Amino acid sequence: MRNLLIVLGLIIGMSSYASDLLYIGDSHSHIREENPVSAKRRFGNVFYEGMKSRGYEVSYYAACGSDPSDWINGSVTECGYTEVAGGKFLSVAKSPFPSVVNLYSSQSKIVINLGDNMFHWKTVAGKRVAEFNRYSFTTSTNSFLRLLKGISPRNCTWIGPTYHIEGEIYFKANAVVDEFYENLKTHLAGRCSVIDSRPLVVPSVPNDGLHHVNGDSQAWAIGVLKQL
């Protein structure tokens, strides 16, 4: 009987342990509408609902333009913010957003979807062109590693960026994305598992060259959910 109670206690403990999930992301994760029609669903809608259906209590945060340094102390975005936590849904254009330190619990799983704002974006003939930025990983302030401080490697997943088609505003070459992944995996050094998004989305239309149209955004989330 005592052994049975121990086993039941372990099962209950594991269930509780697996129930909390913290998600942080950038503009790709911004949820514009809480319950849009199917055609308007994007990455965030699909991901959030998918993890909720698995029994997770999801705390979801996305801030347009954000990179690891912004999530260390918290920051402000002026191009789109989403917060879905504690039964509250918030989607606004401008908002401060919190630090990971104030969001993360040692018993939580954390999913980080950051990457495109870690490139260096230069202007060439009026277009924003991505260049690999090694300082995203090796800056003297170590913001990349500071973001992961105190996070258990077994509880962390990092979703990397996708490929895209050159658009009217942005151009992100595949080779630049490839270089990013090489460095991401090297500098993570096992601190987080990596979901490689490159094979998960085959962009159907250029859009702006960085942000996916709704159908491609949905496909990205479906691919990620299959790997989690």
Side-chain angles (χ1 to χ4, degrees):
M1 182 66 178
R2 181 174 179 274
N3 289 341
L4 178 60
L5 289 174
I6 291 173
V7 171
L8 287 173
L10 288 172
I11 292 173
I12 292 171
M14 289 171 65
S15 175
S16 172
Y17 181 77
S19 65
D20 297 322
L21 184 145
L22 170 63
Y23 179 96
I24 62 171
D26 53 25
S27 59
H28 296 294
S29 303
H30 177 45
I31 301 175
R32 298 165 185 162
E33 298 179 54
E34 185 174 12
N35 296 301
V37 297
S38 179
K40 291 186 177 182
R41 283 160 52 86
R42 294 187 57 76
F43 182 103
N45 303 104
V46 176
F47 179 89
Y48 181 83
E49 292 166 13
M51 297 309 290
K52 288 285 287 186
S53 71
R54 297 180 185 184
Y56 285 94
E57 187 62 38
V58 182
S59 297
Y60 185 102
Y61 299 83
C64 172
S66 62
D67 64 21
S69 64
D70 297 312
W71 290 98
I72 294 172
N73 298 312
S75 189
V76 177
T77 179
E78 297 188 353
C79 53
Y81 175 67
T82 304
E83 179 178 328
V84 189
K88 176 179 70 173
F89 174 82
L90 175 67
S91 180
V92 293
K94 301 179 181 180
S95 177
F97 57 94
S99 161
V100 165
V101 173
N102 296 328
L103 300 174
Y104 179 74
S105 163
S106 60
Q107 291 186 325
S108 297
K109 294 184 181 298
I110 182 169
V111 176
I112 300 169
N113 189 351
L114 299 174
D116 280 332
N117 294 310
M118 296 171 69
F119 293 114
H120 170 65
W121 290 92
K122 66 178 182 178
T123 302
V124 179
K127 187 170 295 188
R128 303 292 288 166
V129 178
E131 290 184 333
F132 174 70
N133 180 12
R134 63 185 178 87
Y135 295 109
S136 291
F137 301 100
T138 61
T139 177
S140 59
T141 58
N142 287 316
S143 58
F144 174 74
L145 295 181
R146 285 174 60 206
L147 176 65
L148 303 174
K149 185 177 180 180
I151 294 175
S152 170
R154 67 178 179 176
N155 293 337
C156 179
T157 301
W158 193 297
I159 302 172
T162 67
Y163 288 146
H164 214 320
I165 305 169
E166 181 175 357
E168 293 183 2
I169 301 175
Y170 300 98
F171 173 51
K172 183 177 62 170
N174 290 355
V176 174
V177 179
D178 294 341
E179 190 172 6
F180 177 90
Y181 272 98
E182 291 175 12
N183 282 268
L184 176 67
K185 293 173 182 178
T186 297
H187 291 281
L188 276 175
R191 293 178 181 88
C192 299
S193 59
V194 175
I195 291 182
D196 187 339
S197 298
R198 289 173 291 184
L200 301 183
V201 184
V202 179
S204 59
V205 293
N207 202 24
D208 63 3
L210 181 65
H211 301 96
H212 294 290
V213 295
N214 293 343
D216 293 342
S217 184
Q218 292 177 31
W220 185 12
I222 291 170
V224 166
L225 288 170
K226 289 179 179 178
Q227 295 195 36
L228 279 173

